[in-house]
């Protein structure tokens, strides 16, 4: 369906848990966060019902997120349930990759279409520092396991920080040169702990890569569900992507909404407004009532975020939760 500004909303990010097996410095405090009780998290049947209703109003692409989605038991079963919904064309997954190797076979057998793996550096010590104890070799094993399925779309997501050395950008880009995958550099979002970190723009990253690999050609066409801009460097098997939500605002073409693990439908990442679908489901609301609330929330999607100056000017409530609690 279209929102009040005429944007076609077809993509929903679905968080299945607020829990994670890492403690990345820009996402979660060292001691972790207060986790929602299991009874307050949507069941797989509830998630499937919401996605089935969403498909009737135009949602065709689902991204499973967290927290870390693979820490929730039975995720492949949920994936299989979603793939059976009429109108759902694609179900993909965002993960840190730590548990991917042991689950990839079942995920693919259930119909997984693509996987984004978050890896911010290929330096073992810096990876451990960023993730507060994560083991890079486990994430890379997950990556290699995903690459063993040629039909699976594989992307690496990196969130640069201002102290990130140039060698990290270059070594990550080498993955796209040598393997059939894309590497995407995603601008830090000023949400939760991310507010403490400065932004590294597309121009800064591209300048580093250009000095090493030469001029890149801009890629045309659509290569994913979101707003990434892709370029192709000479001799690369894959592409390099940039997602700059703050410095290159793309709200006029935003096509997404977010469903938190507690069942809250968010039309925009910056704002705390939305709809409590869990409350509707558990109060006995029928599909028509849930559909009406989803339509209203999507139609009322704000025109844009104001991350650049943190001034909304709309009277809406700003989001106060961390990314792990929202669904990254």
């Amino acid at each position: 369906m279209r929102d009040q500004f005429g944007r076609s909303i077809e993509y929903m990010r679905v968080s299945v848990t607020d829990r994670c097996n890492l403690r990345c410095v820009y996402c979660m405090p060292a001691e972790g966060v207060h986790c929602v009780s299991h009874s307050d998290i949507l069941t797989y049947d509830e998630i499937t019902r919401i996605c089935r209703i969403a498909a009737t109003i135009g949602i065709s692409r689902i991204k499973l997120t967290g927290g870390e989605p693979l820490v929730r038991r039975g995720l492949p079963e949920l994936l299989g349930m979603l793939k059976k919904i009429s109108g759902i064309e694609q179900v993909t997954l965002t993960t840190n990759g730590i548990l991917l190797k042991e689950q990839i076979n079942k995920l693919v057998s259930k119909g997984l279409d693509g996987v984004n793996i978050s890896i911010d550096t290929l330096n073992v010590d810096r990876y451990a520092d960023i993730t507060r104890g994560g083991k890079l070799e486990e994430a890379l094993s997950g990556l290699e396991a995903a690459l063993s399925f040629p039909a699976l779309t594989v992307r690496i997501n990196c969130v640069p920080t201002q102290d990130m050395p140039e060698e990290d950008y270059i070594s990550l880009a080498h993955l796209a040169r040598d393997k059939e995958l894309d590497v995407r550099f995603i601008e830090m979002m000023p949400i939760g702990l991310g507010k403490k970190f400065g932004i590294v723009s597309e121009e800064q990253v591209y300048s580093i890569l250009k000095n090493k690999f030469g001029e890149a050609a801009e890629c045309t066409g659509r290569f994913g569900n979101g707003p990434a801009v892709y370029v192709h460097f000479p001799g690369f098997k894959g592409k390099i992507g940039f997602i700059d939500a703050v410095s290159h605002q793309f709200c006029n073409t935003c096509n997404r909404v977010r469903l938190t693990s507690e069942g809250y439908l968010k039309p925009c990442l910056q704002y705390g407004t939305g709809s409590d679908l869990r409350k509707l489901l558990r109060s006995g609301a029928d599909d028509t009532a849930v559909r009406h609330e989803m339509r209203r929330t999507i139609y009322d999607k704000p025109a844009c975020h104001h991350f650049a100056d943190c001034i909304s000017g709309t009277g809406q409530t700003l989001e106060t939760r961390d990314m792990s609690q929202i669904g990254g």
Side-chain angles (χ1 to χ4, degrees), residues 88-108:
I88 298 299
E89 300 172 0
Q90 183 187 88
V91 182
T92 56
L93 171 73
T94 290
T95 173
N96 58 38
I98 300 296
L99 302 174
L100 188 57
K101 182 178 179 179
E102 64 189 60
Q103 298 191 44
I104 189 64
N105 288 345
K106 195 164 187 179
L107 288 164
V108 172

Side-chain angles (χ1 to χ4, degrees), residues 62-92:
I62 301 292
K63 173 81 72 180
L64 298 176
T65 73
E68 168 50 47
L70 294 181
V71 303
R72 183 164 178 183
R73 293 181 180 178
L75 190 74
E77 281 64 42
L78 172 64
L79 174 64
M81 294 161 69
L82 299 181
K83 287 289 290 186
K84 293 177 181 177
I85 297 174
S86 176
I88 298 299
E89 300 172 0
Q90 183 187 88
V91 182
T92 56

Side-chain angles (χ1 to χ4, degrees), residues 266 268-273 302 304-306 312 316-319:
K266 286 176 58 63
C268 179
L269 179 61
Q270 184 178 14
Y271 305 112
T273 53
C304 62
H305 66 69
H306 292 78
S312 72
Q316 291 181 298
T317 304
L318 297 182
E319 182 58 75

Side-chain angles (χ1 to χ4, degrees), residues 293-309:
E293 188 64 12
M294 294 180 74
R295 281 186 177 276
R296 183 193 64 77
T297 302
I298 292 174
Y299 184 80
D300 290 342
K301 183 176 170 69
C304 62
H305 66 69
H306 292 78
F307 280 129
D309 55 13

